[in-house]
Amino acid sequence: MKAAINGINLAYTDKGQGTPLVFLHAFPLSKVMWQPQVHALTEFYRVVTLDLPGHGESDALLWNLTLDDYAKDVVSLLDHLNIGQTVFIGLSMGGYILFSVYRNFPDRVKGMVLADTRAQADSQEGKAGRRAMAQLANKEGSSAIADLMLPKLLAPSTVQQRPDIVKQVRTMILQTPKEGIIVDLMAMADRPDSIGLLSTITCPTLIIVGEDDVATPVTESRYMADRITNSTLITIPGAGHLSNFEQPASFNQSLQNFLATHRL
Ligand code: MLT
């Protein structure tokens, strides 16, 4: 399905009934990464996934956006779907966007899941890395970004033993136009620090991280868990950065336990 949101046609899925769960995808992927969660959870919940602008089946991005703009688009889509308060699940860049949603629209957040993400802004070195990656995307396109990102997204065991997962993730990256990749990189480089925000978060919060995540290591998740009062940290063995896609059964079980414990 598509909806015209802030001048862009956003692609989304909206399935099932019950408490809404809204899933925010990682860089440089699409709503396809949440398929294992859609399959497992639509029986019990209303599950919404979307392609951020410049990703998947949403319109291409022809100008710069910030992560706050992405957050506004997400909330505008929820307005369109008549969803008020909801549980958000954001992985990596999706987590950065979730911090922006909480900062700007705290009343919309009933609970949050911060998966394989971090609260810190980019270091100067990190920003330089983004600029280099944007140059690579511009010169060589999405396939060069896929080569670079796959070892960062997936655990070595997934790369060696799960060619099906590697192929699916590569396909998602190849379907992201280079304009979308470049805007993400600029938006992530410019994002504010969310460390100060952590102690203000009062809603139930689940923090999930793949044990072998090299992009946002377990220490980043512990840092958030130590500062968010009402939070629980779960580490998933046999997963890297894309924990929901590499180990969907463990991820879904953790998510369902969290939702049940807090009666969300
Ligand atoms: C992601 O998975 O969204 C990215 O690794 C986030 C980042 O590059 O900071």
Side-chain angles (χ1 to χ4, degrees):
M1 281 181 284
K2 289 203 182 178
I5 302 291
N6 302 329
I8 278 195
N9 289 308
L10 278 193
Y12 68 95
T13 64
D14 179 10
K15 292 184 185 153
Q17 287 178 345
T19 300
L21 308 179
V22 177
F23 288 85
L24 306 176
H25 67 73
F27 165 84
L29 305 176
S30 70
K31 58 178 162 33
V32 172
M33 70 169 266
W34 296 116
Q35 268 173 1
Q37 285 65 50
V38 175
H39 287 144
L41 298 165
T42 35
E43 196 183 326
F44 314 105
Y45 298 96
R46 180 175 179 187
V47 179
V48 175
T49 69
L50 67 141
D51 287 333
L52 291 165
H55 296 76
E57 297 168 315
S58 288
D59 278 355
L61 270 180
L62 304 174
W63 58 87
N64 293 351
L65 290 182
T66 63
L67 294 185
D68 283 349
D69 293 322
Y70 285 163
K72 274 184 217 138
D73 290 338
V74 170
V75 170
S76 299
L77 176 66
L78 299 186
D79 290 341
H80 174 80
L81 298 175
N82 287 319
I83 293 175
Q85 264 210 333
T86 183
V87 178
F88 290 89
I89 300 97
L91 190 140
S92 200
M93 181 176 76
Y96 307 158
I97 296 168
L98 182 41
F99 283 131
S100 173
V101 171
Y102 195 85
R103 191 179 291 115
N104 294 296
F105 308 96
D107 296 349
R108 306 302 283 263
V109 188
K110 197 173 192 177
M112 64 164 106
V113 181
L114 296 164
D116 300 276
T117 194
R118 60 156 59 88
Q120 285 85 348
D122 281 358
S123 61
Q124 287 310 316
E125 198 187 357
K127 287 182 208 274
R130 304 273 191 210
R131 283 194 286 271
M133 208 191 289
Q135 288 291 346
L136 181 70
N138 190 46
K139 285 186 193 131
E140 297 183 29
S142 308
S143 73
I145 299 301
D147 293 341
L148 195 70
M149 285 304 294
L150 280 166
K152 295 185 185 179
L153 290 170
L154 302 173
S157 53
T158 307
V159 173
Q160 282 152 20
Q161 295 157 23
R162 295 296 307 269
D164 53 327
I165 291 185
V166 176
K167 194 171 166 205
Q168 286 169 306
V169 176
R170 180 180 286 280
T171 303
M172 265 187 267
I173 300 176
L174 295 181
Q175 285 168 348
T176 310
K178 72 177 182 186
E179 292 79 9
I181 291 176
I182 292 168
V183 171
D184 282 353
L185 290 164
M186 288 190 285
M188 288 193 288
D190 282 346
R191 77 186 190 280
D193 208 295
S194 293
I195 292 173
L197 188 74
L198 299 177
S199 60
T200 71
I201 296 175
T202 50
C203 64
T205 302
L206 173 64
I207 300 168
I208 303 185
V209 62
E211 198 171 66
D212 303 322
D213 186 343
V214 283
T216 48
V218 175
T219 46
E220 302 282 0
S221 284
R222 270 207 206 100
Y223 184 92
M224 295 189 290
D226 287 346
R227 286 161 181 79
I228 302 177
T229 319
N230 195 4
S231 69
T232 311
L233 170 63
I234 302 275
T235 304
I236 299 192
H241 191 53
L242 217 50
S243 58
N244 74 301
F245 207 73
E246 298 178 80
Q247 295 295 342
S250 308
F251 190 98
N252 294 346
Q253 192 60 60
S254 306
L255 179 52
Q256 281 179 286
N257 290 347
F258 166 73
L259 295 167
T261 303
H262 293 280
R263 298 179 200 281
L264 291 169

